[in-house]
Amino acid sequence: MFFCSIARADNTDPAQKEAAPSQQAAPQTNKTENQPKASTKNKEQQAIDESVKKALQDPKSGYQFTDQTVIDMAKKLAKSPMVPPLKAPKALTDLDYSTYRKINFQQNQAVWGNTPTPFSIQLFAPGYLYKDLVDIDVVENGKAFPLEVSPSSFSTPNKKLAELIDKVGKFAGLRLHYPINTKDHSDEFIVFQGATYFRAISKGQTYGLSARGLAIDVAQPTGEEFPMFKHFWIERPSVTQKAIVVHALLDSKSVTGAYRFGIYPGSPTRIVVKATLFPRQDVPHVGLAPLTSMFMFGTMDRSDEPDFRRRVHDSEGLQIQTGHGEILWRPLNNPKTLQISSFYDKSLKGFGLIQRHRNYSDYQDLEANYQTRPSAWVKPLNDWGPGHVELVEIPSNSEGNDNIVAYWQPKGGLKKDQPYRFSYQLTWPNDTPVLANKPHIVRSAKGTKLFGKYKGNPEVVIDYSDVNVDDIKKLHINASTSAGKILETHLVKNPHINGIRVYVTFDTDNADVAELRVALSENHKEIASTWLYRWLKQQ
C-alpha cells in the first residue's frame, strides 16, 4: 500500500529542561570520592579524550561532561574503522541461562540507592548471550565518573565467578528503578542490555516487546548488522525530579551515533529520544526507532500445534498514523515464509506495535500474562521526510523468539560523512494513544463463507468497538484486494462491544498473495482505522 502526505509533526523535546543535570551537591553513591573542580566547558576534543583516559585510570578524578561530549565522541569515532568491542571471557559466555540468572547485582550496591534521589541504578554482569563489554558512568554536577566492579558487586553461585567478573571490570548493561506502582517501593522499569536493545514498562505492566537504538540491514541477504551501545552515561536527577537522562554512544561497522534518552517513568512511561548519527559509509537499509516483538498466533491464524491458549503474542497489530492523518491497523502474522511489508508515507505522525487485548480470558496463560505486556508508540518530534514504515514478519515455532520487527526507513537511507539527526517520543501505553475515546478495531478473524451465493470463498470479519451511529445504513464499507475481487460486504450491529461487525467475502483468483484493505466511512468520512492484511495462499 502507498501513502503520501505533507503534514509536519511537533518538534519539541519536553525532556530537555525537566531532566537536565542536577546542580546540587553530589550525595554519596557507594564509594567516597574526592572530586576536583570541573574543567571549563570550552576545551577541545583532545582535552576531553585525555580527561576520559585519565578518569579510566583514576575513576575518582572524573571528567567534564555535557550533551555535546557524546556527540563529539561519535563524530571522532566515525573517522576511523570500527574497533571490535571487548568481549567477556569464554568462562562467562559459556554459562547457561539458569546459571547466568543466578548472577544478580547486590541491591545494597545500587547507585543512589540509599540517597533521597528517587532513581537508582543496578547493573548487569557479562555472560551467557551478553558477550560485549560496556562502560557505564554516572554524571554528577557536570562531571562523569566511571562505575567500578568489585567482588561484592554481584551475588554469584560461587566465589570463582565473582572474582572473574571483578577481573573483567566492565558491565553488560543497566536497569533503572523508580516507584511507579506504589510510593514505598522502587520498581525496575527500564533495561538497557545487549546491542542497542532496551525495554520499558509503565504502571501495572510486565516486560514484553523491546525497542532498539538503530536497525541496519534487517532481513537483507547480506545478513543483519547489529550496532551496540558501547558506553552509557546516567545523569543524576535532583530529589524532586521525576525524569532521568541516559546518554549512549553507538558504534557499528557502518555508523556511529550519540543518543540522549529523556526518561519519564509512570502511567504511561515515555522516553524522548534525540539521536545524531555519523555514517562511516552509505547505509541504504537503515531502520529508525525500531521495535521488536513476538507473535505466534491469534484470531487471524491458529497454532499449528494443539494449544489451550486463545492467543500467544507480545503485540497483535501494527498501528500507523500517516502524515495526512489516516490511521492504519495491520494485524500481525506468523507466516510460513519471511514477509516484508512497506507502508510509504511522508512526514509520518506515528507508528507502533500494539497489544490491545487486556483481559486474562483473552490469553488464558497464568505464567506469561500477555494481557499485561506493553504497547509501544513512536511519535516523531521532527520532520522525518519521505520514507516508509517497514514491517518484517519472520516464521517462528517458539514464543521465546522475537519474530516481528517494525521501523521507519528514510528514503535514500544514510550517506557517508553526512550527519543525520532525528528525535521522537517513545511511549509505552496499553493501547494506541491517538485512538483514545475513538473507535477501535478490537478483533479480526478469517474463515470460509458457510452459506449463500458465495459459499466456500474466503471471508474476513472485523469488529469495531464504540461506533455510535443512529442508522448503520448510513455507513459504507470500502473494500479492495490487490488480487482477485471483492465478492460481498455487509455489516451488522455488535451490541457486545457497542459497535459493529463487518463481513468481507472475496476471491483471490488463486493468487499466492493478496493485499486486503477495508475502510469504514459515513458521509464520505472515515470513522475508524483502515484495516489492512496480507492474505497468503499457503495459510
Side-chain angles (χ1 to χ4, degrees):
M1 313 299 290
F2 294 79
F3 305 92
C4 294
S5 66
I6 56 175
R8 296 180 63 88
D10 178 28
N11 62 359
T12 59
D13 181 358
Q16 187 67 46
K17 293 184 178 180
E18 180 177 336
S22 169
Q23 297 303 313
Q24 67 179 39
Q28 292 182 351
T29 55
N30 295 311
K31 299 179 181 179
T32 302
E33 299 172 336
N34 296 318
Q35 300 178 7
K37 294 181 179 179
S39 56
T40 57
K41 293 184 178 181
N42 59 353
K43 293 290 186 180
E44 298 295 334
Q45 181 61 41
Q46 183 178 359
I48 294 176
D49 293 341
E50 291 300 322
S51 66
V52 173
K53 291 178 183 178
K54 181 180 178 182
L56 294 176
Q57 297 170 357
D58 179 14
K60 294 182 180 181
S61 67
Y63 58 96
Q64 182 190 356
F65 182 89
T66 68
D67 287 4
Q68 190 63 32
T69 302
V70 189
I71 296 174
D72 291 342
M73 286 182 172
K75 183 177 181 179
K76 181 177 181 181
L77 200 62
K79 296 182 183 300
S80 57
M82 178 188 181
V83 176
L86 295 175
K87 302 287 185 180
K90 192 172 186 295
L92 289 177
T93 58
D94 282 349
L95 296 176
D96 58 26
Y97 175 67
S98 61
T99 304
Y100 180 73
R101 283 192 65 185
K102 297 176 182 177
I103 303 175
N104 294 300
F105 192 75
Q106 296 277 36
Q107 292 191 18
N108 61 4
Q109 295 286 310
V111 181
W112 310 323
N114 296 316
T115 72
T117 300
F119 291 89
S120 61
I121 308 167
Q122 294 190 23
L123 306 167
F124 291 103
Y128 181 49
L129 299 176
Y130 306 104
K131 303 178 181 181
D132 295 332
L133 303 180
V134 301
D135 293 300
I136 300 175
D137 297 6
V138 295
V139 179
E140 301 186 357
N141 295 319
K143 296 199 71 176
F145 301 86
L147 294 178
E148 296 179 298
V149 182
S150 73
S152 61
S153 295
F154 296 91
S155 62
T156 59
N158 56 68
K159 185 178 179 181
K160 184 177 180 181
L161 273 178
E163 292 173 346
L164 181 56
I165 293 169
D166 178 39
K167 184 177 180 181
V168 170
K170 293 181 184 291
F171 304 98
L174 65 98
R175 58 189 180 190
L176 300 180
H177 292 244
Y178 183 85
I180 62 172
N181 290 304
T182 61
K183 294 181 180 180
D184 57 355
H185 179 73
S186 188
D187 306 282
E188 177 188 321
F189 73 95
I190 187 168
V191 170
F192 291 86
Q193 186 181 27
T196 62
Y197 285 88
F198 60 98
R199 297 192 296 170
I201 54 174
S202 302
K203 182 178 181 180
Q205 296 177 345
T206 55
Y207 284 125
L209 81 167
S210 300
R212 282 195 272 172
L214 197 68
I216 298 176
D217 290 340
V218 177
Q220 294 301 298
T222 54
E224 184 171 353
E225 178 181 332
F226 287 92
M228 70 168 290
F229 288 140
K230 64 185 298 182
H231 200 148
F232 291 95
W233 294 261
I234 306 105
E235 296 186 16
R236 180 173 190 160
S238 69
V239 174
T240 59
Q241 282 180 339
K242 298 180 179 180
I244 188 169
V245 172
V246 174
H247 301 264
L249 177 63
L250 178 144
D251 196 14
S252 185
K253 181 185 72 173
S254 301
V255 64
T256 68
Y259 282 70
R260 181 188 187 277
F261 301 91
I263 305 168
Y264 301 78
S267 181
T269 293
R270 58 190 175 93
I271 305 171
V272 175
V273 183
K274 297 179 66 176
T276 304
L277 303 177
F278 298 95
R280 287 186 166 109
Q281 60 189 45
D282 290 349
V283 188
H285 198 275
V286 63
L288 307 185
L291 303 173
T292 301
S293 192
M294 179 276 294
F295 181 90
M296 286 297 293
F297 63 87
T299 55
M300 286 297 289
D301 53 351
R302 298 299 302 168
S303 174
D304 291 337
E305 302 294 332
D307 199 307
F308 65 89
R309 297 168 295 180
R310 295 179 176 179
R311 302 166 175 267
V312 174
H313 50 68
D314 283 338
S315 305
E316 60 190 273
L318 169 68
Q319 192 99 66
I320 301 173
Q321 184 179 24
T322 69
H324 61 281
E326 184 179 16
I327 308 293
L328 310 178
W329 175 254
R330 165 66 151 76
L332 297 178
N333 198 2
N334 182 5
K336 302 296 184 184
T337 59
L338 176 69
Q339 298 294 313
I340 301 175
S341 305
S342 297
F343 306 87
Y344 291 86
D345 198 10
K346 183 178 181 181
S347 301
L348 174 79
K349 289 186 177 180
F351 76 95
L353 293 176
I354 306 301
Q355 184 79 326
R356 180 152 291 162
H357 285 79
R358 291 288 153 190
N359 296 319
Y360 162 76
S361 59
D362 295 321
Y363 304 92
Q364 296 288 334
D365 194 318
L366 290 171
E367 296 180 357
N369 288 314
Y370 289 114
Q371 70 275 8
T372 61
R373 305 294 174 98
S375 300
W377 181 254
V378 174
K379 175 186 176 182
L381 296 178
N382 63 328
D383 189 351
W384 286 7
H388 64 268
V389 174
E390 187 156 284
L391 172 65
V392 180
E393 296 166 302
I394 305 168
S396 176
N397 59 6
S398 171
E399 61 196 275
N401 298 328
D402 283 345
N403 64 323
I404 302 295
V405 189
Y407 48 81
W408 174 258
Q409 182 169 333
K411 183 178 181 180
L414 307 179
K415 301 299 182 183
K416 181 180 179 181
D417 298 329
Q418 294 182 15
Y420 187 94
R421 296 175 179 86
F422 66 100
S423 61
Y424 59 97
Q425 178 175 270
L426 176 58
T427 310
W428 303 79
N430 285 337
D431 207 332
T432 311
V434 296
L435 289 183
N437 302 316
K438 295 180 179 180
H440 284 55
I441 295 175
V442 295
R443 179 178 181 267
S444 49
K446 65 183 180 182
T448 302
K449 184 76 172 178
L450 299 178
F451 53 86
K453 179 180 179 181
Y454 299 112
K455 180 180 178 180
N457 282 282
E459 182 178 59
V460 294
V461 176
I462 309 166
D463 284 330
Y464 298 82
S465 69
D466 302 315
V467 178
N468 298 309
V469 292
D470 296 329
D471 185 359
I472 64 171
K473 294 180 181 179
K474 295 180 180 179
L475 298 180
H476 182 68
I477 303 169
N478 303 294
S480 63
T481 175
S482 63
K485 59 183 177 180
I486 302 296
L487 300 175
E488 180 182 65
T489 66
H490 73 281
L491 57 83
V492 297
K493 286 187 176 181
N494 187 342
H496 302 285
I497 57 173
N498 186 33
I500 61 169
R501 172 169 291 180
V502 170
Y503 298 84
V504 179
T505 308
F506 56 97
D507 178 5
T508 62
D509 196 23
N510 206 34
D512 291 332
V513 179
E515 299 285 355
L516 299 176
R517 175 186 173 97
V518 179
L520 189 64
S521 63
E522 182 181 18
N523 297 324
H524 305 290
K525 181 180 179 180
E526 292 187 359
I527 64 171
S529 300
T530 299
W531 184 88
L532 307 174
Y533 191 70
R534 175 171 290 178
W535 177 275
L536 301 172
K537 181 180 179 181
Q538 72 269 27
Q539 294 190 196

